[in-house]
Structures are given as structure tokens and as C-alpha cells.
Amino acid sequence: MAGTKKDAMNNGVHDYTAEDMYVRPHNPEVLEALDKFRDHKLGFMIHWSPACQLGIYESWCMSDDSADWSKKDVDWTDDMNEFRQQYRNLRTTFNPIRFQPEVWADLAKECGFQYLLFTTKHHDGFCMWDTETTDYKVTSPNTPFSSNRYADICRHLFDAFRERGMDVHAYFSKPDWNTPYYWSPDFTRPDGKTDRNVNYDVAEHPELWEKFVQMTHRQITEIMTNYGRIEALWLDGGWVRPDNKGQDVRIGEIVERIRETTQPHLMAVDRTVGGPYENFITPEQTVPDHPIMVPWESCVTVGKRFSFNYDDEFKSARQLVHMLVNIIAKGGNLALNIAPQPDGRLPAKGMAALRDLGTFLKRNGEAVYGTRECAPYMVDGMAFTRKGSMVYAFHLYPDDSSEVRDSFILPNFGQFVSVSLLSDDGEVKAEEIEEGKIRITVLSRTTPETPYADVFRIELRDL
């Protein structure tokens, strides 16, 4: 799946920018931040808004051009104008009093996550920080949670994650379906229909579009100035771009201003747009078939959706481990999304799988964090990573009933000093069996159950 100049989507899932469209940054501080980002491998992604109360798709069901897939849970009305008003009124009942940012951060740390990616604002325009640009925000008196000590959700969440040594990435939607500067009531269609784009001709009404640009810049500046160190500005809504209806929000202008004033290291992620302000590319709900040799991050859900759903089904820990290994072997990061409940807690079933992932990473994190891709990447059921003079080999077991193997044939990466099993304290031996091949034999194991993966450390004399 390779991105094009238009933001292609299928049921709300974005395409991603092709590797050959990547523009390497020149800024040394941004390059340093990208290298650190690639070391981290695993991000804790959160989609959260008042829409969680209904368990429906966040934002998308407001737009008629997405209704065929996003409105399946909206079964009480066919009147879209009425529905959009009902959606916006969810702010008046949003009161997640069981939200404890420190608990979220502790859970993320326990599960092996290295950074947070949080939705400061989705396409619906609801702001999860104390913005001065709109009253459609979590700290508004119209939102009951505004009286809670954690009302400024972004502030408390960002601080909690940083205090535990994790970085912060800020998701920000370029389109805003609440502001009259994007969906202007003066240009509402007679049939009331909407699509995801601006609803007026930008060329004919440049003054209105400029108000939208200034609001966007002001909101980004608030987040980047008042909320501590932010590693990445993760911009969603790739259809907001100059070559689509003239929707130029001048991302380069605001990013460079932020870099000059408060966040010189800031990674910009203008996803699906390409060019100098998409510092890493973002496959969505997918893992690329082949290694990508530029910085990238797959954003994938633990459940079936990015937003909370009462009937969601969650991936198993084995699936999560295998997906992470698949991604890091191809040179990427995984932003793993879990959606909070309306009361502010993280769903227990989803967190159970994440805790098991964390247990795996406690034993095998050496083969994950700080590594890079290693040819042949994935072959014959094995995946490989590297770090300095170490090569790591993963053998993935498909299910709990898989027969545990004791013998493995691997490529010979060079003269090896030692081979050991990270995921078990058992005894291992290795021998060169033919040119370009080695055999690893597990002589004993300390755990009888089928592991998610056998992970071998191969120490080389010379990499």
C-alpha cells in the first residue's frame, strides 16, 4: 500500500506516504529526535472524546461522505442535522470522574511503552486542553468535567507520562468540523449534506479561510508553548492540503515558528502529505509487507476501533507480540491504540493483553528497544533485529498449542562469540553447518509452556 498525492481512504483508514516521497530533514535536532524515536519502538496511543459515551465512531459519523461505514451504530435517527447537534451536545454529559492520569501512565510504563500519542483534538473539533480559541473544550463550564481537578486532560496526562520517563506526541486534527471557519453555516447545502472538506470555496472566501488558518496556528501554539516538551506534532486529516480545494493551513510556517521559539527538536508528522513536514510516515491499521528504510510508525488498535465501543473485541497478547516483532524487523515503530471508557478507565480486557505484552518485553526488551532492522529481516519464520555487535533472532509461535522447537537454522551473520536464549534461562549451543548457515539448538528450557516467541541473542565478533 503506497501513498499518493491525494489522501486515499477506505472505511476511514488512511493510506500512507510512499517511501520514495520521504524528504529527510536537515535540522540536526530533528534528526536526533528521529533517532531517539526509532529507539523507542512502542507508543501508547489514545483516542478519547465525548463520543465515547455512545460507543460510536469518533467524529466520522458527522460527515455524510463517511456515513455508509461510520453510522452503523447510529440507529435512533436518520436526520443528520439532528444527529450532529446530538453529537455536539455530548459535551454536556462528558464527566469521566474515574480518570486518573497517573494510573494510565503507570500502566503504560508497566506494559513497556516508551511514549504517549494523545488526541488533543479529533475532527469533531472538541479540544482536550484549555484552549482560548473556542468554548467547545473539556474545560468549558458547559462540560461537567470542567470542575474536576484533572479537567485540563492534556496537561495532567502529559505531565504524568513525562514524570515516568516517557515522551509525549500530540495528535492534532487539521480539519475542524465545529468551527464556522471550516464548516461555515453560511454555506450549508440546502439538503444539509456534508463531506469531510471545507464547505466553501477557499479561493472565493480567502478571508474566512485565513481565520481558520489563524485559529489552527493559535491552537498548535498553545499546545506547543503551554504544555511542556512535545516530541512530535502528529497531524491527522491529510485531505487538508494545498492541492485539495486549496486547503493550505501553512503547516511549514507554524512548525518552523515553533521550532524557533519553544521546541527546536519538534518532529512534524503531516501524515499522507509527504514533503519536509512528514518526518515519519504512518501506516494505519496495517503492517507493510516489506521493510521501509525511512522512519515510520504503524498506528494499530488493540480492539477493532480507535474510539471506544461497548462491544469491542481485543487482540490477544500473542497477536500484539507478533505484530510488534513484524514491525520492528521491518524498521518501524508501533503506536498501539486503546480507547478509554466514558468513566475514564482503560478497558480491563484490552489492558490484560497489554500487560502480557509488557511481561514479554521485560524478558526480551533488549531485542526490541534501540534496535534497527537487520537483513534478511524476516525469512523462514524468523525475524531479525540488530544493535551494535548483537543480532537478535525471533521465532514466532502461532498459538498456545504450537509444538515448541529445539532446533533452528539461521543465516550466519559473521563469526559469533556466543548465542543465548533471552526468553528462557535454558542452555543453548550454536554451530556453523554450512557456508552462510548456523544451527541453534536449545538443550534445555526452564519454562514448559509455549512462548509467544523464542528470542536469541547472537553476539558477533565483528558486525
Side-chain angles (χ1 to χ4, degrees):
M1 186 165 76
T4 64
K5 290 190 112 181
K6 298 295 181 186
D7 183 54
M9 294 178 64
N10 181 23
N11 288 349
V13 175
H14 296 264
D15 199 348
Y16 60 91
T17 303
E19 181 180 342
D20 60 8
M21 291 178 65
Y22 183 78
V23 176
R24 178 179 165 83
H26 298 294
N27 183 319
E29 291 181 271
V30 175
L31 289 171
E32 184 179 346
L34 278 169
D35 204 42
K36 179 183 174 186
F37 162 74
R38 295 187 69 201
D39 284 345
H40 283 167
K41 301 303 179 190
L42 186 60
F44 195 63
M45 189 178 192
I46 296 284
H47 274 69
W48 201 26
S49 81
C52 69
Q53 297 170 90
L54 294 179
I56 60 177
Y57 281 99
E58 190 173 31
S59 301
W60 284 109
C61 42
M62 299 176 72
S63 178
D64 290 291
D65 65 345
S66 306
D68 59 335
W69 60 269
S70 66
K71 276 196 66 182
K72 291 177 181 177
D73 296 325
V74 183
D75 56 5
W76 63 90
T77 180
D78 293 322
D79 186 329
M80 277 297 289
N81 287 326
E82 177 186 52
F83 170 74
R84 279 189 282 269
Q85 190 56 52
Q86 290 171 337
Y87 184 102
R88 293 182 174 114
N89 285 344
L90 289 169
R91 64 180 298 185
T92 66
T93 52
F94 185 53
N95 196 21
I97 58 174
R98 301 180 77 176
F99 169 58
Q100 299 174 75
E102 295 85 0
V103 172
W104 285 21
D106 284 340
L107 285 168
K109 189 74 174 176
E110 175 191 343
C111 297
F113 291 92
Q114 303 294 297
Y115 59 96
L116 169 71
L117 172 54
F118 183 69
T119 45
T120 64
K121 182 185 77 167
H122 205 256
H123 314 325
D124 58 20
F126 187 81
C127 297
M128 299 291 269
W129 79 98
D130 188 25
T131 180
E132 295 181 356
T133 63
T134 178
D135 192 47
Y136 193 51
K137 61 181 179 178
V138 70
T139 55
S140 166
N142 293 324
T143 302
F145 194 63
S146 62
S147 61
N148 191 284
R149 62 180 172 138
Y150 294 132
D152 191 343
I153 287 174
C154 284
R155 180 172 305 285
H156 294 288
L157 201 55
F158 291 0
D159 287 349
F161 272 73
R162 284 196 210 94
E163 286 167 5
R164 287 152 181 81
M166 290 173 278
D167 286 346
V168 172
H169 295 196
Y171 172 115
F172 182 90
S173 169
K174 292 185 293 181
D176 187 315
W177 297 338
N178 181 69
T179 178
Y181 307 143
Y182 195 80
W183 278 359
S184 170
D186 294 336
F187 299 96
T188 301
R189 285 167 44 175
D191 59 5
K193 295 286 187 181
T194 63
D195 66 33
R196 57 187 166 139
N197 291 289
V198 62
N199 72 345
Y200 56 88
D201 189 316
V202 171
E204 291 183 6
H205 301 279
E207 73 294 338
L208 190 56
W209 181 254
E210 184 59 26
K211 287 181 180 179
F212 178 68
V213 172
Q214 292 305 318
M215 185 201 77
T216 301
H217 286 200
R218 191 175 169 196
Q219 288 186 341
I220 291 172
T221 300
E222 286 177 339
I223 296 167
M224 296 295 155
T225 304
N226 302 331
Y227 287 81
R229 182 180 171 108
I230 310 287
E231 301 298 324
L233 175 62
W234 205 93
L235 296 159
D236 204 8
W239 61 91
V240 177
R241 58 200 300 158
D243 62 353
N244 180 35
K245 301 180 181 291
Q247 297 180 90
D248 184 2
V249 288
R250 306 200 298 274
I251 287 301
E253 178 184 315
I254 185 59
V255 168
E256 293 302 338
R257 188 186 309 154
I258 295 300
R259 286 174 176 168
E260 290 169 8
T261 55
T262 59
Q263 313 268 6
H265 56 276
L266 183 69
M267 295 178 287
V269 191
D270 197 4
R271 58 190 309 242
T272 77
V273 174
Y277 298 104
E278 190 175 11
N279 298 151
F280 56 86
I281 60 179
T282 56
E284 181 174 327
Q285 293 287 49
T286 190
V287 178
D289 293 332
H290 305 288
I292 297 177
M293 299 305 176
V294 301
W296 63 278
E297 171 195 72
S298 274
C299 51
V300 183
T301 53
V302 180
K304 291 185 177 296
R305 299 184 183 181
F306 284 100
S307 49
F308 176 75
N309 180 259
Y310 288 95
D311 300 319
D312 211 348
E313 298 174 3
F314 298 97
K315 296 176 177 67
S316 69
R318 188 178 296 275
Q319 288 174 300
L320 297 180
V321 168
H322 290 192
M323 178 168 57
L324 176 61
V325 171
N326 189 356
I327 286 170
I328 65 173
K330 295 171 181 174
N333 281 27
L334 171 59
L336 197 51
N337 184 92
I338 191 162
Q341 299 173 171
D343 65 358
R345 292 178 300 163
L346 298 171
K349 289 183 179 179
M351 288 308 303
L354 292 181
R355 282 193 172 96
D356 284 347
L357 170 63
T359 299
F360 174 86
L361 288 168
K362 284 182 179 71
R363 297 179 67 91
N364 300 288
E366 177 187 327
V368 175
Y369 305 118
T371 62
R372 295 293 184 269
E373 66 279 355
C374 178
Y377 315 111
M378 297 190 74
V379 64
D380 297 331
M382 304 289 290
F384 306 97
T385 61
R386 64 173 176 82
K387 185 193 304 177
S389 62
M390 302 293 184
V391 168
Y392 302 94
F394 298 78
H395 172 74
L396 305 177
Y397 289 99
D399 53 54
D400 292 342
S401 61
S402 298
E403 183 178 353
V404 178
R405 289 178 53 181
D406 292 325
S407 181
F408 305 86
I409 306 299
L410 276 66
N412 191 343
F413 297 95
Q415 188 176 11
F416 56 87
V417 177
S418 65
V419 178
S420 56
L421 190 60
L422 285 182
S423 51
D424 191 287
D425 295 327
E427 186 182 355
V428 175
K429 77 169 185 177
E431 56 188 331
E432 187 172 352
I433 55 172
E434 60 183 88
E435 186 175 355
K437 300 283 186 180
I438 63 171
R439 176 187 289 118
I440 293 177
T441 304
V442 180
L443 301 176
S444 65
R445 293 177 181 270
T446 57
T447 53
E449 66 272 10
T450 303
Y452 298 146
D454 278 327
V455 187
F456 299 97
R457 179 207 290 125
I458 305 167
E459 184 180 359
L460 301 177
R461 239 180 251 291
D462 218 6
L463 186 62

